[in-house]
């Protein structure tokens, strides 16, 4: 294992993670996930999907949104991160996780040797619920086919579900995050592993969850065959 850089050590410390935890990570040796060449699904299908999302009026969130937030990153990434729904800043910029929670998400990715352009990031809902209220079941259902088409196109090797809503809607359960974290999960109907972790916004409020979130990130690197400690 190569020594951790000072920058990564600093990021882990900023995340409130004791660096000794790294020694507990047992991922297979390897480097960061490679960016995959854009040789997979039909780019036209992806663009069509994006256009459909932009034009969507399936639910009332289309009336209050500034714009849709489709997702960002490498659409052939090995790792797909799925959050809940755009917040105010995401609604303004049209990009996922660009607010405070997004900064923490960047640090979390950095801690396992990844950058945004090496993964794909999207949300269960493509429109912002007003006043950051919780997504309603009918809204999740309206948006579900967009997310499953994104997953079908990207064909990720691993999905990281960020928070309760993402995890519950992907795994079709009402279990709390701490319970879902306890066992290995796959996306129903597929063999794609789903790692469940706390939402970055929740980590900002509950710093004691950060060590558990680091364990979840180590699980991701194990599944990808990379090593968080490198
Ligand atoms: N929270 C989310 O779940 N998604 C975002 O894009 C931003 C904040």
């Amino acid at each position: 294992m190569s020594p951790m850089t000072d920058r990564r050590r600093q990021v882990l410390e900023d995340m409130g993670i004791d660096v000794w935890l790294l020694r507990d990570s047992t991922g297979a040796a390897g480097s960061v996930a490679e960016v995959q060449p854009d040789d997979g699904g039909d780019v036209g299908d992806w663009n069509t999907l994006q256009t459909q999302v932009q034009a969507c009026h399936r639910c009332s969130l289309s009336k209050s949104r500034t714009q849709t937030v489709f997702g960002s990153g490498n659409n052939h990434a090995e790792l797909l991160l799925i959050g809940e729904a755009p917040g105010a800043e995401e609604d303004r910029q049209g990009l996922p996780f660009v607010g405070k929670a997004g900064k923490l998400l960047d640090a979390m990715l950095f801690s396992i040797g990844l950058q945004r352009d090496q993964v794909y990031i999207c949300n269960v809902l493509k429109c912002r619920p007003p006043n950051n209220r919780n997504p309603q079941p009918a809204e999740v259902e309206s948006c579900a086919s967009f997310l499953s088409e994104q997953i079908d196109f990207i064909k990720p090797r691993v999905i990281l579900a960020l928070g309760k809503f993402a995890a519950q809607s992907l795994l079709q359960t009402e279990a709390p995050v701490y319970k879902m974290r306890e066992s290995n999960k796959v996306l129903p109907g597929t063999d794609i592993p789903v790692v469940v972790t706390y939402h970055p916004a929740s980590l900002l409020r509950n710093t004691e969850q950060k060590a558990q979130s680091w364990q979840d990130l180590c699980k991701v690197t194990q599944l990808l065959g990379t090593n968080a400690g490198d």
Side-chain angles (χ1 to χ4, degrees):
M1 188 190 295
S2 59
M4 190 179 5
T5 63
D6 289 347
R7 168 89 178 103
R8 285 180 66 194
R9 187 180 295 273
Q10 187 60 53
V11 166
L12 287 168
E13 282 172 5
D14 290 349
M15 286 167 67
I17 289 160
D18 289 337
V19 171
W20 62 266
L21 271 169
L22 281 168
R23 298 196 192 106
D24 282 347
S25 71
T26 52
S31 59
V32 298
E34 297 296 322
V35 175
Q36 297 299 301
D38 195 7
D39 58 0
D42 185 340
V43 176
D45 293 346
W46 184 258
N47 292 342
T48 303
L49 182 60
Q50 200 155 359
T51 307
Q52 283 168 355
V53 168
Q54 274 163 4
C56 177
H57 292 282
R58 289 179 188 174
C59 77
S60 61
L61 295 183
S62 63
K63 296 195 188 97
S64 52
R65 73 183 178 216
T66 305
Q67 57 192 315
T68 56
V69 178
F70 185 70
S72 71
N74 175 358
N75 62 11
H76 291 296
E78 296 195 329
L79 176 60
L80 171 62
L81 289 83
I82 303 178
E84 179 179 320
E89 197 51 41
E90 290 76 20
D91 176 71
R92 245 191 305 277
Q93 295 191 35
L95 293 168
F97 284 99
V98 286
K100 256 191 173 173
K103 293 221 164 32
L104 178 57
L105 186 60
D106 286 340
M108 290 163 70
L109 285 171
F110 188 79
S111 74
I112 54 168
L114 290 172
Q115 294 177 0
R116 270 188 187 236
D117 60 2
Q118 293 175 294
V119 302
Y120 198 82
I121 306 176
C122 65
N123 286 303
V124 172
L125 292 192
K126 309 305 181 201
C127 297
R128 179 190 182 212
N131 306 315
N132 295 338
R133 66 157 168 74
N134 288 339
Q136 291 171 355
E139 294 160 355
V140 173
E141 203 179 316
S142 299
C143 242
S145 71
F146 293 142
L147 181 60
S148 65
E149 284 187 56
Q150 286 180 303
I151 296 170
D152 285 350
F153 184 95
I154 297 168
K155 297 188 177 45
R157 283 185 50 219
V158 180
I159 292 175
L160 179 61
L162 300 166
K164 182 176 93 166
F165 276 95
Q168 289 184 341
S169 57
L170 288 168
L171 300 172
Q172 293 159 23
T173 168
E174 295 193 348
V177 171
Y178 80 87
K179 259 271 169 262
M180 288 185 272
R181 289 182 66 252
E182 281 172 1
S183 55
N184 296 332
K185 309 276 186 214
V186 293
L187 186 69
T190 77
D191 57 3
I192 304 172
V194 176
V195 177
V196 175
T197 196
Y198 295 100
H199 193 284
S202 164
L203 295 175
L204 288 170
R205 294 188 300 268
N206 305 295
T207 48
E208 75 284 359
Q209 290 173 345
K210 284 184 176 175
Q212 293 167 65
S213 152
W214 170 243
Q215 286 163 3
D216 302 330
L217 292 173
C218 289
K219 198 164 160 188
V220 167
T221 65
Q222 285 169 24
L223 288 162
L224 291 172
T226 60
N227 192 334
D230 275 353

